[in-house]
Amino acid sequence: MEGEEGSQQPQLVLAHKLFLLTHPDVEDIDKVRLRDEVYAAVKADDMVFLYDSLAVASVLEVDETLLDSMRKRIEEEIKKLDDKIADAEENLGESEVREAHLAKSLYFIRIGDKEKALEQLKVTESKTVAVGQKMDLVFYTLQIGFFHMDFDLISRSLDKAKNLFEEGGDWERKNRLKVYDGLYCMSTRNFKRAANLFLDSISTFTTYELFPYDTFIFYTVLTSIISLDRVSLKEKVVDAPEILAVIGKIPHLSEFLNSLHECQYKSFFIAFSGLTEQIKLDRYLQPHFRYYMREVRTVVYSQFLESYKSVTMEAMASAFGVSVDFIDLELSRFIAAGKLHCKIDKVAGVLETNRPDAKNALYQATIKQGDFLLNRIQKLSRVIDL
């Protein structure tokens, strides 16, 4: 199941096509091409379970003759694999037995039989001694999890992998695990942790089975922008040679990053609007599209206001290349949500910043925690008195 260096794992390519096939923003003419490609992939790998589900959802037309031929080929292949396992157990050594079981696991993964694949991977693990080989089995499980977007399976597999690394394991696999973990964090809206894991993996990236390096850089920049402070962003992202080598190949991404750092807010908004389509058409980011849009705008508005004690609404609207009414509506929402620390003087048409005092905030938090602790002690004393 693991892709060769530089190539994405075929099932994950298929998963992305399936996502686009049901996406409302994809043109009908593109969906015709995607449907043909999905059909060809399903047919080539005898993915009978996926074919059934797509037929029920009216994505593909039912072809009983094709289904029967698929089932027949699957039965024949499983029989061959079982014969190889039996032969290895009778005539060969432990490593050959493990390889025969692994071949059966990979076949179930290829045909998309999730339950049997996971079951067979457990059998293969019971025949495996080396920590590195056990880790490879966890990577296969994680790929199954990302194909089905089964976050419970992914979470359990990541915990298992981390426990295995306490027993040993090489750095190459540890670095690969960081990318898997980062993708899981990004997919579950933990962008800060995702950014840190991706940045740790930039110079050692070998996880081509998940996505190409360009996509990895795309994810790294997007998660870093809403997670890092300005100084860290400059040091780890803007000036990073690995990112500079690739960022120009990704439409709008260089302008998006550099215009934010250089405070060119009008250019930033133009680049951001160009990136929104890519974010919406990404199966990992699309569920968080609205959230990400809000977070990016919070970062850029906060950066602009940081330079001022007060500023006119007209000046801010001009800097961003939008109308005063748009800025008024935008900022009022963010202020009400507690995302921006400023107030609007509607009569004078002025924004006044009121940055929170860190010492005062710490004092208030301490008082609040103290009150909570006293309440708990009082409740506990009443229970003890009884």
Side-chain angles (χ1 to χ4, degrees):
M1 178 158 182
E2 186 178 326
E4 295 175 5
E5 183 171 330
S7 65
Q8 192 177 1
Q9 201 279 322
Q11 266 76 8
L12 293 179
V13 175
L14 177 60
H16 184 61
K17 289 176 180 177
L18 288 170
F19 166 75
L20 294 177
L21 198 51
T22 56
H23 199 292
D25 292 346
V26 175
E27 297 287 338
D28 288 342
I29 191 166
D30 291 325
K31 286 186 177 181
V32 171
R33 174 183 55 80
L34 286 165
R35 190 175 288 108
D36 290 342
E37 290 174 1
V38 166
Y39 177 77
V42 168
K43 185 178 177 182
D45 286 336
D46 293 328
M47 303 181 78
V48 67
F49 299 96
L50 181 59
Y51 193 174
D52 276 336
S53 64
L54 292 175
V56 169
S58 301
V59 176
L60 296 179
E61 293 181 6
V62 181
D63 184 341
E64 290 297 341
T65 306
L66 178 60
L67 277 170
D68 289 340
S69 65
M70 281 182 174
R71 293 189 182 104
K72 187 177 179 182
R73 282 195 297 272
I74 290 171
E75 284 178 17
E76 290 172 354
E77 189 61 31
I78 290 173
K79 187 176 183 306
K80 287 179 188 175
L81 291 166
D82 286 336
D83 289 343
K84 285 182 182 177
I85 290 171
D87 179 55
E89 288 174 341
E90 287 178 21
N91 306 311
L92 303 172
E94 291 180 359
S95 62
E96 287 82 4
V97 171
R98 180 193 176 276
E99 290 302 315
H101 279 287
L102 178 60
K104 189 175 180 182
S105 302
L106 297 181
Y107 180 69
F108 282 133
I109 292 170
R110 186 185 133 199
I111 64 173
D113 191 337
K114 179 185 175 185
E115 301 307 320
K116 285 187 178 177
L118 293 174
E119 185 183 318
Q120 188 61 36
L121 282 169
K122 285 181 182 177
V123 174
T124 308
E125 186 185 6
S126 69
K127 309 288 182 184
T128 305
V129 177
V131 173
Q133 290 180 332
K134 285 184 178 180
M135 270 306 309
D136 290 339
L137 298 178
V138 175
F139 287 136
Y140 291 134
T141 306
L142 285 166
Q143 290 166 27
I144 293 170
F146 281 117
F147 178 83
H148 294 279
M149 296 298 258
D150 184 343
F151 294 121
D152 181 53
L153 175 63
I154 295 168
S155 177
R156 284 187 280 111
S157 299
L158 287 170
D159 290 341
K160 184 176 181 179
K162 289 166 189 173
N163 290 333
L164 279 171
F165 277 132
E166 291 178 7
E167 301 174 20
D170 58 83
W171 282 107
E172 192 267 337
R173 288 185 175 92
K174 284 183 180 178
N175 289 326
R176 283 177 63 203
L177 183 65
K178 285 182 183 179
V179 180
Y180 280 88
D181 197 2
L183 181 58
Y184 168 70
C185 290
M186 187 183 77
S187 302
T188 53
R189 205 175 283 185
N190 187 351
F191 289 111
K192 187 173 181 62
R193 178 166 163 74
N196 291 331
L197 287 165
F198 287 154
L199 288 167
D200 282 348
S201 309
I202 279 184
S203 58
T204 57
F205 180 83
T206 57
T207 323
Y208 297 103
E209 68 272 14
L210 283 183
F211 35 63
Y213 190 63
D214 290 7
T215 304
F216 171 68
I217 294 299
F218 176 67
Y219 292 155
T220 303
V221 172
L222 290 187
T223 53
S224 296
I225 277 179
I226 63 171
S227 305
L228 302 183
D229 58 62
R230 185 174 168 79
V231 175
S232 299
L233 190 69
K234 167 75 170 168
E235 179 189 341
K236 296 180 180 180
V237 183
V238 175
D239 291 340
E242 296 89 355
I243 291 177
L244 288 170
V246 175
I247 196 169
K249 300 176 186 177
I250 305 164
H252 309 293
L253 191 62
S254 178
E255 297 87 345
F256 180 63
L257 174 63
N258 292 313
S259 58
L260 174 65
H261 186 261
E262 294 164 8
C263 304
Q264 303 294 323
Y265 300 113
K266 191 180 293 187
S267 301
F268 176 83
F269 260 32
I270 292 169
F272 188 33
S273 64
L275 273 179
T276 54
E277 193 69 14
Q278 294 178 58
I279 297 170
K280 276 198 284 187
L281 296 179
D282 186 282
R283 69 188 292 255
Y284 303 112
L285 288 171
Q286 189 269 340
H288 316 293
F289 175 71
R290 292 172 68 86
Y291 172 83
Y292 187 81
M293 294 279 284
R294 285 196 302 272
E295 290 301 304
V296 168
R297 277 145 54 210
T298 300
V299 167
V300 72
Y301 293 148
S302 297
Q303 180 174 296
F304 177 85
L305 293 169
E306 206 172 300
S307 307
Y308 299 95
K309 181 71 178 172
S310 65
V311 62
T312 65
M313 298 279 283
E314 190 175 344
M316 187 171 179
S318 175
F320 282 91
V322 295
S323 67
V324 173
D325 289 340
F326 176 82
I327 283 291
D328 184 16
L329 181 62
E330 278 274 274
L331 296 186
S332 60
R333 288 173 180 166
F334 286 107
I335 293 167
K339 295 280 188 180
L340 293 176
H341 302 287
C342 61
K343 58 184 180 181
I344 300 173
D345 184 340
K346 188 75 172 174
V347 176
V350 172
L351 276 166
E352 294 180 9
T353 59
N354 52 353
R355 298 184 193 89
D357 183 348
K359 283 187 178 179
N360 188 45
L362 182 61
Y363 173 75
Q364 294 295 336
T366 305
I367 295 293
K368 188 175 180 180
Q369 289 169 0
D371 287 342
F372 178 72
L373 180 60
L374 284 172
N375 288 334
R376 292 292 297 271
I377 290 170
Q378 287 171 355
K379 287 179 182 177
L380 184 60
S381 65
R382 285 198 293 269
V383 172
I384 291 170
D385 288 343
L386 289 172

